[in-house]
Amino acid sequence: MNNRPDAGVTVGIDVGGTFTDFVLFDPQRQNTLFHKEPSTPSDPALAVSEGLMALLAKSGLPASALTLVLHGTTLGLNAIIQRRGARVALVISQGFRDVLEIARARMPSSFDFHADREPPFLPRQRILEISARFSPQGKVLQWPEESELNALAQRIHALNVSAVALVTINGYTNPRAEGELAEQLSRYFAAIPVLSSAQLWPEIREYERTLVAGLNAYIQPLMQRYFSRLSNLLERQTIDAPLLITASNGGVLPLDAARERPVDTLLSGPASGVIAAAYLAKSTESGGFVTFDMGGTSSDISVSADGEVERVNRTDIGGMPLILPVVGVSALGAGGGSIIHVDDFGILKVGPESAGADPGPVAYNRGGNVPTLTDCYLVCGILAPDALLAGTLPLDFAAAHQALANLAGQLGLEGDHAAERVASGALAVATTQMATSLNKALAQRGVSADALTLIPFGGAGPTHANFFASEAGIDRLVVPLRPGTFCAQGAITADIRRDFVRSLRVFVNQETFSTLSSTIAELNQLAQQWFQEQAATLSHTSRCMVEADMRYSGQAYELSVSLAEPENIQLEGLIQAFQQLHQQRYGFNNAAVGIELTTLRLSLTASLPRPSENAFVPAPASESRLQRPLFLHQNWLSAEVWSRSQIQFDHVLAGPAIVEQDDTTTLILPGWSGQLDKAGNLIISRQPQGETR
């Protein structure tokens, strides 16, 4: 049963470093339009506004026709990685001022005593102490007097900060009281918000909870300015459709919720791509899949063994752990802008340094002088010498060739094709790095690569995907119709999603089950209240699911056990679900050992309009196709060049072949072949031995 409201004209937006991508779906005309607008890093909202108007002009629709705008951005993520967030202060319980310095007291590298660890995002001089503390049961042990709050406020004023994060030890056990303390302290400030960590995310482990609160304060002023600027620009253009922001958990949030909790949006772009991939995998009956989103700095992968989006409760952001529910995405250290260099031992290396989008690869002619993977694609013939990146940016073949020739000199390579040999070698090095990282992830899940389908997207994803699949042992790829705007497409296929959490630390037995039940009921009530206040006007129905972090007594870390809806959870089912998952993950379980439940999680989802599938009709086929020299595996080959829009259903693209479209280029290797499915996706499969061209 489809409980979504009736669909109107919906737009999905994804802001990237080089381009801002748009997808518009018009249900009445059964029409989907795509657009790429050059990003404006100095004012990211401007590219969104201008691109949206260009997209409307292309569609012939007035601004009033829009019913929903869904928008993803990595603005907050980039601010954290580049350490360009707001000037904030942290207020923490007495005795814990060094929580960010100590962290988890782990070395950054177990085998390198000289390795530097990631410095805290907040300097110690802006971390202040307060006489506030709770017991593990939530009882107030210390509470500050007004005189202490007054003195603390004066010190905060002197620091000239934009926001304050408040963290009390064991505050997760009494979120309401910590929230009252934050409110009490905020009365001393006119325009500086005081954010309570326990109100934001009441989960155990003080270091990680401090990071959630601190990072939310760190990016909130920046994100609020951006959201306000964007809202003003859209208002000037008479666009009054609801603006939803994509979240790290693969859902979307109303604008007000994203303003309050921007930390929930850190991985919005990569998460949207995985959501779109899961939707594509279902429509193509692909089963388990691996997503491969290759951008300028890195490549993001996500693994799904069963075709469902994998979500995790912990990830790393800029070298720091983040304990929020997010789509399980891992970054590989190779992107189109990854720099090719020779190390001190004369070995060819790729990354992790990146030229990014500005200055970018040498071929961009923006001042870059060190070769990158994009330069390698160009020199090897995968990209045409006269190519226009994303249909607008010309590439300089001669400059890229010279940069790689200079690197060949450092390696002692000579001859007419020295630059091509370096480029081919660099592509092999990058591919090995990618495959090694993926194989580790598959081994952890007990999944075989040949049982999965690779879904590549992003500007460079389809370009490198066949290299990656061949090395990793994947036999099938599905290249979407519009890979370059795939993350924006994911935004318009997402649901509203909001997560709630409460840490308990209780043994699972008959005596404590009433406490568990009442906590689940409390979380469900919070979720329904949030839905009525924030999202009820956008969706007709909502659904809640519960997850529990559980472990045997004495274990250090938990397993996240998926449970039923809040009303249907029983004690025996709870214990059985944990025992089964422990058996599956570790090969054993032990019914004689007590089970501890540390944290309960509840996720609320609400349906939004989703585009229906359009019938795909290819353009008329061209009578002739070009051939292009291609340097692969240290040899020259001749590749047939296809235009993506002119490929017919009965065409079989035998490798080596190159498929060109305005938002990406797809390479098909020798021993592989490609063919369209009914929806226009390009299915690339490994040919049986003996059938290669």
Side-chain angles (χ1 to χ4, degrees), residues 100-133:
L100 296 181
E101 290 283 350
I102 296 172
R104 283 290 164 196
R106 293 184 182 135
M107 297 175 62
S109 173
S110 302
F111 305 102
D112 185 357
F113 292 108
H114 301 286
D116 293 329
R117 69 181 184 86
E118 192 73 27
F121 75 99
L122 195 61
R124 192 173 187 271
Q125 57 266 31
R126 280 192 264 127
I127 302 178
L128 309 175
E129 293 184 335
I130 188 172
S131 300
R133 184 168 182 161

Side-chain angles (χ1 to χ4, degrees), residues 207-484:
Y207 169 58
E208 287 82 355
R209 183 161 41 88
T210 300
L211 283 177
V212 171
L215 292 177
N216 194 75
Y218 190 59
I219 64 172
Q220 191 174 56
L222 167 73
M223 298 302 292
Q224 288 185 341
R225 286 195 300 270
Y226 171 72
F227 290 142
S228 295
R229 166 73 169 154
L230 180 59
S231 298
N232 290 337
L233 287 174
L234 297 184
E235 187 177 342
R236 288 183 204 170
Q237 295 166 342
T238 66
I239 295 174
D240 59 359
L243 177 61
L244 305 185
I245 309 301
T246 58
S248 306
N249 60 15
V252 292
L253 293 169
L255 181 60
D256 287 344
R259 288 180 192 270
E260 180 183 348
R261 300 167 55 100
V263 72
D264 286 335
T265 70
L266 288 177
L267 295 174
S268 65
S272 294
V274 178
I275 296 300
Y279 187 63
L280 178 62
K282 284 185 174 66
S283 67
T284 56
E285 299 181 351
S286 296
F289 62 86
V290 177
T291 65
F292 178 51
D293 180 7
M294 187 169 179
T297 303
S298 64
S299 300
D300 297 324
I301 66 165
S302 181
V303 179
S304 169
D306 56 4
E308 298 295 329
V309 175
E310 181 182 74
R311 291 180 172 87
V312 297
N313 295 318
R314 180 189 171 106
T315 190
D316 287 320
I317 299 291
M320 296 174 288
L322 186 71
I323 53 167
L324 291 174
V326 300
V327 170
V329 176
S330 301
L332 308 177
S338 292
I339 291 173
I340 317 299
H341 63 283
V342 178
D343 70 8
D344 295 338
F345 301 98
I347 298 173
L348 187 67
K349 294 289 184 70
V350 177
E353 295 82 10
S354 173
D358 190 8
V362 176
Y364 281 14
N365 256 335
R366 290 179 173 174
N369 56 12
V370 286
T372 67
L373 286 180
T374 296
D375 298 307
C376 295
Y377 299 140
L378 186 61
V379 167
C380 285
I382 300 171
L383 299 180
D386 57 351
L388 294 176
L389 193 69
T392 60
L393 181 63
L395 300 178
D396 189 332
F397 176 87
H401 192 277
Q402 184 59 53
L404 286 162
N406 294 341
L407 209 58
Q410 297 180 39
L411 292 166
L413 297 177
E414 299 178 350
D416 294 338
H417 308 304
E420 287 82 355
R421 292 165 63 190
V422 172
S424 181
L427 293 176
V429 169
T431 303
T432 301
Q433 293 174 192
M434 296 173 182
T436 300
S437 183
L438 174 63
N439 288 333
K440 288 180 183 177
L442 296 181
Q444 291 171 348
R445 295 164 174 81
V447 179
S448 175
D450 59 9
L452 303 176
T453 295
L454 185 66
I455 302 178
F457 49 93
T463 309
H464 205 100
N466 209 168
F467 287 128
F468 183 22
S470 181
E471 181 73 15
I474 296 174
D475 296 330
R476 182 174 183 265
L477 298 85
V478 176
V479 183
L481 185 62
R482 301 288 301 195

